[in-house]
Amino acid sequence: MSENGAGGIARESDSEFPIVIAAMPATTAQRKTALGVVIFLSVVAVVIAPFAHIQAARVDSFVPVLQSVLCVADLITASLLFTQYAIQPHPSLLVLSCGYLFSGSFAFLQTLAFPGAYAPAGLIGDGHNSAAWFFVLWHSTYLAAVLAYALSKDADWKFAPTRGSAKTKAAFTIILSFVLMAGLTWCVTQATEYLPELYRESVTLQTRLAIQVNLMLCALAGTALAALLFRQRTILDLWLMVTLLAWIPNFLLAAVVSAVRFSIGWYAARCFSLVASCMLLGVLLTEMTFLYSRLANALTLQRRERGNRLMSVEAATAAMAHELRTPLAAIALNASAALSQLRAEPPVLADLENILDDIETTSHRVGAVISAIRALSTKTLVDQRKMMRVEDVARQVLRLVQHDLQINEISVATDLEDDLPPVLADPTQLQQVVLNLVKNAIEAMNQIAPEERFLRLAARRAANSTVLLSVQDSGTGIFLEDRDRIFDPFFTTKPAGMGLGLAICRTVLENHSGKLRLANSDSRGSTFEITLPAGG
Ligand code: ADP
């Protein structure tokens, strides 16, 4: 997220593997899902609106049941957000976590005070105004927290705590929040005679002040929404906006209709509030599950890369260097001895034949070492081969890079023919080859607009009883002058590239009696093709 600059929650070091949803950029698919949810909620609201004023039966168990779920959802969300704050200590996350803590706690307290919920006049409070004041506290604290989050999330916080002290800070904030909540609860339950009335006599008829308060809440929700809309970038921002939209019917309805409680609109608005409360929790849990799968994929990849790329290149070169250094040193020593004997006046020719013999024998030894190393790697390869399907490898690779594709907003198409004959190959090595081609393709599309990023994997039967797998991208293509060099070891055009990927891929395929070639490349993208003999 380089557009984030130095500040904000998503710091540079986290952008490679963001671990909190406050730092993960929202993808196009997530935006579409969020829009779908908003459209669905709007349609439901429009359908219900004409009947909103109709007074329905009073179901006293509705509030305790619904608000208990809502309270649990908010408190779990708060604890997850506090955890995210402990991982990435940005003050805006702490403020938002507190917002959910207040929301869940006040929802619970309002249920206790709600007339008819647990007791005819409520378990706490004055029996008609306390519940309404709890409603105001519940929503004003939550909306204020979201607004504060939206305004502070991009700030470069110079004094952000370290991970260790973040836990202490979070614990201190939680204690402070509970103290504040206790004070406010005392005010709205024990000192209601000093507070203006929000409900007159009955529990259904609200005062003009209540209507104004609801309008204020609506305006606060609108302001928070606007602040998020202008600064939105991450998954958290996106779903907070949807949550705010789902809350708005609650305040609008209460502001428009004065006899609110137990009307159809009131029931509907409360259901909306439940959806709103569960929304972020659902997103947090879903993203955490995705994170686990990404982590598992990353570990698998890391293990494979270590096992293949590093082992096959670094270990092999280290082994070769070790084995070759001694004979090469002997050759050099013998050659300089021969030279000094030749340069002597008169030249000493007696030992020259023996020295040259030695050089010849040692050179043969070097050749034998190289053959032995080669035979060793080929043997390892043969041992691990089995009959397998290239289309399965293609699917596995797409699963492994699923997150990269998503983050880079790349559209993927597959055209994998059914009933392709199997090939005899080392599954790990073949997967590594396809993975390398797909990763190169993803990197090649970095520079082009997201809507033009397109990756296509196709597998089909080809001439001479071979199976062909192609990886096509819509990237920037390969310059004409580079096309012959891309398979050379250490040729790279990337600042952090090693230039070994394609060279290793080609060697692996040649060891499998297969081929790797660049089938096509121009300014609209490149296609790499792998062919392997069918049936081994
Ligand atoms: P590396 O990825 O480390 O550079 P590779 O051997 O995998 O090493 O690739 C060598 C070079 O080939 C890359 O630096 C890049 O210039 C070019 N290349 C490979 N695949 C593609 C592709 N799909 N599109 C454009 N260029 C590519």
Side-chain angles (χ1 to χ4, degrees), residues 1 61 141 237 308 323 445 468:
M1 273 162 291
S61 54
T141 49
D237 304 344
N308 286 276
E323 292 295 323
M445 292 187 274
L468 186 147

Side-chain angles (χ1 to χ4, degrees), residues 436 440 444 473 477-478 486 491-494 497-499 501-502 526 528:
N436 195 76
N440 275 348
D473 63 64
I478 300 165
I486 53 171
F491 173 79
T492 182
T493 54
K494 301 171 193 169
M498 278 174 70
L502 290 177
S526 315
F528 283 86

Side-chain angles (χ1 to χ4, degrees), residues 453-524:
R453 295 179 190 165
F454 180 78
L455 174 75
R456 182 172 176 272
L457 260 65
R460 61 179 169 83
R461 279 171 199 268
N464 304 327
S465 307
T466 54
V467 178
L468 186 147
L469 176 74
S470 63
V471 179
Q472 182 187 356
D473 63 64
S474 59
T476 43
I478 300 165
F479 290 125
L480 199 58
E481 61 271 27
D482 290 343
R483 286 184 203 161
D484 290 335
R485 301 164 61 205
I486 53 171
F487 294 100
D488 292 348
F490 305 109
F491 173 79
T492 182
T493 54
K494 301 171 193 169
M498 278 174 70
L500 284 172
L502 290 177
I504 294 176
C505 289
R506 185 167 257 188
T507 312
V508 166
L509 281 165
E510 280 168 2
N511 284 337
H512 283 77
S513 316
K515 276 193 190 117
L516 167 65
R517 69 181 193 107
L518 173 67
N520 173 49
S521 188
D522 55 32
S523 58
R524 283 163 303 161

Side-chain angles (χ1 to χ4, degrees), residues 366-376:
V366 173
V369 168
I370 293 173
S371 306
I373 290 171
R374 182 133 188 86
L376 189 75

Side-chain angles (χ1 to χ4, degrees), residues 296-370:
N297 277 348
L299 277 177
T300 316
L301 276 182
Q302 199 188 33
R303 216 172 287 150
R304 295 228 162 111
E305 285 198 5
R306 195 172 291 157
N308 286 276
R309 191 167 292 194
L310 296 183
M311 281 290 283
S312 56
V313 181
E314 285 183 18
T317 44
M320 276 173 72
H322 180 76
E323 292 295 323
L324 298 179
R325 197 172 288 128
T326 324
L328 285 177
I331 292 174
L333 208 67
N334 274 331
S336 68
L339 273 177
S340 55
Q341 289 192 9
L342 277 175
R343 283 177 191 143
E345 288 291 339
V348 185
L349 300 176
D351 278 344
L352 210 57
E353 196 181 338
N354 286 342
I355 293 175
L356 288 175
D357 264 353
D358 260 7
I359 291 180
E360 193 188 13
T361 322
T362 321
S363 308
H364 286 314
R365 234 176 75 213
V366 173
V369 168
I370 293 173

